[in-house]
Amino acid sequence: MAEPTPRRNEPRLRPAPLLFEPAEASADPEHFFDLESIDDPRALLDRATELTHAFRAAADRAMEFQAMAAAQLADPRRFDRLTPADIAGRAEWTEDYAKKMVEFGRDLMRGGEGGVHAD
């Protein structure tokens, strides 16, 4: 399970960089961030762990942006606001999850720390 994402008043750790793979390398299903070329199991574990942390951090950060976007789209002051059902359809969520994400996004935009991740 991913660790909680730091809030605005906590320093954000910088995970290992996620580098884009060349198209020809990513077309090979056995190729994954050059991990298959690492022979030393210690080095493989280290690099795979770095990537795991980087992907988790990226997923957590992306989820925060999803939540803020959902909250903005659901803002009742918008003339073109969306319902939780509309947001759910766009993001491929359930309506209940969309409602939680809207609340989480509102909390993030207020700068609150009390929000619970809408897992």
Side-chain angles (χ1 to χ4, degrees):
M1 179 173 231
E3 295 178 21
T5 303
R7 296 291 166 219
R8 294 174 199 256
N9 61 344
E10 297 177 18
R12 189 176 291 276
L13 298 177
R14 295 283 177 205
L18 293 176
L19 304 175
F20 290 99
E21 297 188 274
E24 58 274 1
S26 62
D28 178 4
E30 297 300 315
H31 184 83
F32 187 73
F33 288 89
D34 211 27
L35 292 178
E36 71 285 345
S37 69
I38 301 174
D39 293 326
D40 177 15
R42 288 177 183 86
L44 179 59
L45 179 61
D46 290 345
R47 182 61 181 145
T49 300
E50 286 176 350
L51 285 171
T52 299
H53 290 296
F55 286 130
R56 285 180 184 153
D60 286 348
R61 190 73 178 127
M63 183 190 63
E64 288 176 348
F65 279 103
Q66 281 183 310
M68 289 187 290
Q72 290 170 357
L73 288 170
D75 188 337
R77 296 172 294 188
R78 289 179 62 109
F79 77 93
D80 61 344
R81 72 179 170 272
L82 298 179
T83 66
D86 293 332
I87 294 169
R90 291 180 65 96
E92 299 179 8
W93 298 333
T94 64
E95 189 172 345
D96 286 341
Y97 186 78
K99 289 175 186 176
K100 291 177 184 179
M101 287 295 276
V102 167
E103 287 305 314
F104 179 50
R106 287 177 179 155
D107 186 53
L108 286 172
M109 291 189 303
R110 282 191 300 266
E113 293 184 38
V116 175
H117 285 292
D119 290 332

